[in-house]
Amino acid sequence: MSAPVPSALQISGLGLQIGGATILKDVDLDIAPGSLVGVIGPNGAGKTTLFNVISGVSRPTSGTILMNGEDITRSSVPQRARAGLGRTFQTSSLFPRLSVLENVRIAAQVSRGGNYSLLRFPKRSDAATEHALAQLVKVGLTHKLDTAAGDISHGDKRKLEIAVLLATQASIVLLDEPMAGVASGDVAGLVENIRDLQRETGCTVLMVEHHIDVLMGLVDKVAVMYSGSIIAYDRPQQIMADPLVQSAYLGRTEGSAA
């Protein structure tokens, strides 16, 4: 009899206190491998803080985080990245003066055991560059290979971030408001990029997003945060029908969403 496959992420009793303030409280979350999970909640609910704790930017004051069955609660950011955890941020974390291709090529080089001391490269025939080009084909940015990342549109920057994640071959990906600031005409293409990221790589995706209509049509399950805790975790249809969720979040005005 084969051993059960561990959860991609298993978060138990996670808490974070800063001074006398409780930012996260008793957060429990179990995410199956290969699933796409959305995280919603009003401003100040703790969504980005949860991502910061999962990715190692912040250290929890209580609880545990298991990634593919391994305890990463006290692991550093680089250790988590090497274990297969990738993340985007609300604001772009690209190298703005490097080209689109160079940004992805660095990620490909590091994922293959190299380093990023060599930022410029004169030829496009090595394995890392070929891998980078393949990812840019997937997100539709091959027409901007030599454009500086700081000079492309916000929507294209989001696509570029996804190409970088594809190049790292991360098994678990955290997307922090990938649609924020993206022009309405670019949303559908970005949604398809996220679907491709999950479908082609089989990675697990955890995504904070305030575009509820987009999120509900994309994810397998939704976790609802309120005041630093998860108050509901279920399939989109059940979440939309949950009276507690409606009163805590969905019944609020659009301006209160985060």
Side-chain angles (χ1 to χ4, degrees), residues 177-201:
E177 296 198 27
M179 308 296 170
V182 175
S184 58
D186 293 332
V187 169
L190 189 54
V191 167
E192 195 57 35
N193 289 152
I194 294 171
R195 283 199 178 102
D196 288 343
L197 170 68
Q198 193 273 335
R199 189 166 48 214
E200 292 185 18
T201 67

Side-chain angles (χ1 to χ4, degrees), residues 102-246:
E102 286 169 334
N103 268 271
V104 185
R105 202 270 185 182
I106 290 168
Q109 183 176 337
V110 174
S111 73
R112 291 168 179 266
N115 60 63
Y116 47 87
S117 59
L118 180 61
L119 299 183
R120 301 283 180 179
F121 47 96
K123 60 183 181 179
R124 298 181 179 178
S125 59
D126 63 299
T129 303
E130 293 299 325
H131 182 61
L133 286 167
Q135 311 322 310
L136 287 164
V137 168
K138 293 175 184 176
V139 300
L141 285 180
T142 53
H143 61 299
K144 296 187 177 180
L145 295 180
D146 298 317
T147 304
D151 294 337
I152 62 177
S153 70
H154 190 74
D156 282 346
K157 286 177 182 175
R158 294 303 194 188
K159 292 179 180 180
L160 180 53
E161 288 170 343
I162 290 176
V164 168
L165 288 172
L166 284 165
T168 65
Q169 300 176 308
S171 63
I172 299 176
V173 170
L174 311 180
L175 303 178
D176 196 352
E177 296 198 27
M179 308 296 170
V182 175
S184 58
D186 293 332
V187 169
L190 189 54
V191 167
E192 195 57 35
N193 289 152
I194 294 171
R195 283 199 178 102
D196 288 343
L197 170 68
Q198 193 273 335
R199 189 166 48 214
E200 292 185 18
T201 67
C203 70
T204 303
V205 178
L206 188 58
M207 176 172 134
V208 169
E209 185 53 58
H210 71 274
H211 286 79
I212 300 301
D213 53 341
V214 172
L215 188 82
M216 293 299 180
L218 179 63
V219 301
D220 303 310
K221 297 183 77 172
V222 180
V224 184
M225 295 196 71
Y226 187 74
S227 297
S229 298
I230 291 181
I231 62 171
Y233 181 45
D234 211 330
R235 296 190 177 279
Q237 298 87 340
Q238 282 67 42
I239 289 295
M240 294 293 287
D242 190 321
L244 180 60
V245 174
Q246 292 174 2

Side-chain angles (χ1 to χ4, degrees), residues 75-91:
S75 298
S76 67
V77 173
Q79 286 172 332
R80 296 177 202 219
R82 286 193 292 270
L85 182 64
R87 179 187 176 177
T88 67
F89 292 81
Q90 290 182 21
T91 56

